[in-house]
Amino acid sequence: MEVLEGEAAPLFCLTSTTGEFCLESKINQGLVLIIFYTNDFTPSCKRVLGVFTEEFSRLKSMGVELVGVSREDIDSHVEFASQCDIPFPLASDPDLSVISAYGVLNDDGVAAHRAVFCVSKTGAILHANRFFQSGNVDQLIELFQIIEEVSAND
């Protein structure tokens, strides 16, 4: 099952590197970017999270909350976030329930695809990219255009 743009985002609470991350409380504050990634410490996932680390100040200035989600445990996330200077929470989804709810479970059923979802203040999916590529400029431009448009209308 996959969640489509315009549909309600599946709500969740997960343990993260900064404590409990509950989507419902975050969306009341503004846009939320959910960044699904496969594994801590892999080069491709470092690049994906690195893109959002580089843009973190800009996104925060637009009122955007960010969270990275993978199946790995919180100890791994803490070490990974420290090693890579990731300024936003990384949440652990060990039973893959959130990953599955968003429809981004990879083909072997053991981890997430690299994917990005933007959730509005109303809880609707504004943008869904199920196969995010950190080097794809068009994907980044599209995501930032949506964020900027929503931020300008708030």
Side-chain angles (χ1 to χ4, degrees):
M1 181 170 160
E2 63 182 43
V3 186
L4 303 174
E5 290 176 8
E7 292 182 349
L11 299 177
F12 62 87
C13 288
L14 293 173
T15 302
S16 83
T17 51
T18 59
E20 196 76 4
F21 185 96
C22 292
L23 182 60
E24 188 171 18
S25 66
K26 297 296 183 183
I27 57 177
N28 293 327
Q29 300 169 27
L31 296 179
V32 178
L33 277 185
I34 306 169
I35 307 153
F36 291 97
Y37 66 102
T38 308
N39 292 305
D40 294 337
F41 304 104
T42 62
S44 58
C45 292
K46 283 182 183 180
R47 284 191 299 275
V48 167
L49 295 175
V51 166
F52 295 102
T53 295
E54 289 171 14
E55 297 293 340
F56 182 73
S57 295
R58 179 178 172 201
L59 289 163
K60 287 300 282 184
S61 73
M62 292 187 282
V64 179
E65 290 289 328
L66 295 87
V67 63
V69 177
S70 84
R71 66 177 173 85
E72 296 194 284
D73 66 42
I74 205 65
D75 291 336
S76 178
H77 284 344
V78 167
E79 186 178 340
F80 182 52
S82 175
Q83 184 182 95
C84 297
D85 294 319
I86 297 169
F88 49 87
L90 300 180
S92 181
D93 184 18
D95 66 359
L96 305 169
S97 60
V98 175
I99 291 166
S100 296
Y102 279 80
V104 295
L105 188 63
N106 65 10
D107 291 338
D108 61 11
V110 298
H113 291 290
R114 287 178 298 279
V116 176
F117 289 79
C118 184
V119 181
S120 74
K121 283 183 176 182
T122 64
I125 301 289
L126 289 177
H127 177 74
N129 182 333
R130 285 178 176 68
F131 296 98
F132 183 78
Q133 300 167 323
S134 58
N136 186 320
V137 175
D138 291 336
Q139 289 182 357
L140 287 171
I141 289 171
E142 180 181 12
L143 176 61
F144 274 91
Q145 284 175 336
I146 291 165
I147 292 169
E148 289 170 354
E149 182 179 308
V150 171
S151 295
N153 293 324
D154 264 357

